[in-house]
Amino acid sequence: MAKEKGRKLIAQNKKARHDYLIIDTYEAGLVLTGTEVKSLRQGRASLADGFVQLDGNEAWLHNVHVPEYSQGTWTNHSARRKRKLLLHREEIDKLESKSQETGHTIVPLALYFKDGRAKVEIALAKGKKEYDKRQTLREKQDRRETERAVSAVRRKQQA
């Protein structure tokens, strides 16, 4: 069987980018069972309520929903079990020191396969206030409107 190349996205947490200010991102491996990998290969997962917790010298991914594998037997996994993250010691230490600051948390942003291995992109993030969220949406809308105006002017010039 040929080895997979590239990055295949499984799930993305778009709400995290809306609710949090992303400070730093990390790529971590996942410790998974066989049925979890098969379920992920079918492209089924949800990061909506997920978060990362640091216990001692280990990082754990909580509340990520990976549905049971449809052809699985008694060896099937539970859908919302906690999963161990594979990070370097320096990364764990840095995340632990930064996450203890007020308002900081660690959230998963994306779950994907990279060269055949399951990876999760996690981010050190700071929660946004409601007015920050509105301001971000306003800036995004303004940027879209200016791009539309510029493209309309370019289209008129070409015609």
Side-chain angles (χ1 to χ4, degrees), residues 26-85:
Y26 298 90
E27 181 180 71
L30 281 164
V31 177
L32 300 171
T33 62
T35 55
E36 285 175 319
V37 174
K38 289 179 179 186
S39 184
L40 288 176
R41 289 211 186 275
Q42 291 178 342
R44 299 166 44 203
S46 172
L47 298 172
D49 301 326
F51 64 95
V52 176
Q53 191 173 37
L54 301 170
D55 289 333
N57 294 325
E58 295 179 336
W60 295 88
L61 185 63
H62 292 269
N63 273 1
V64 171
H65 186 264
V66 178
E68 290 185 351
Y69 183 56
S70 56
Q71 283 86 36
T73 58
W74 58 273
T75 59
N76 233 337
H77 62 280
S78 62
R80 288 201 181 266
R81 75 176 188 91
K82 70 178 188 175
R83 295 164 181 90
K84 187 175 180 180
L85 294 177

Side-chain angles (χ1 to χ4, degrees), residues 24 73 79 91 108 110 113 117 132 153:
D24 203 3
T73 58
E91 291 175 330
F113 282 107
R117 299 186 189 272
D132 288 335
V153 169

Side-chain angles (χ1 to χ4, degrees), residues 112-128:
Y112 54 92
F113 282 107
K114 182 178 178 184
D115 297 334
R117 299 186 189 272
K119 303 282 185 180
V120 64
E121 183 181 17
I122 59 174
L124 179 65
K126 186 171 183 165
K128 286 184 183 177

Side-chain angles (χ1 to χ4, degrees), residues 18-21 126-140:
H18 174 71
D19 291 340
Y20 299 99
L21 174 67
K126 186 171 183 165
K128 286 184 183 177
K129 303 282 188 214
E130 194 63 39
Y131 57 84
D132 288 335
K133 293 178 192 177
R134 285 194 298 266
Q135 180 66 29
T136 304
L137 286 173
R138 198 173 300 120
E139 289 171 0
K140 192 175 180 182

Side-chain angles (χ1 to χ4, degrees), residues 97-108:
S97 65
K98 293 278 188 178
S99 67
Q100 289 175 354
E101 293 178 18
T102 308
H104 287 78
T105 187
I106 307 167
V107 293

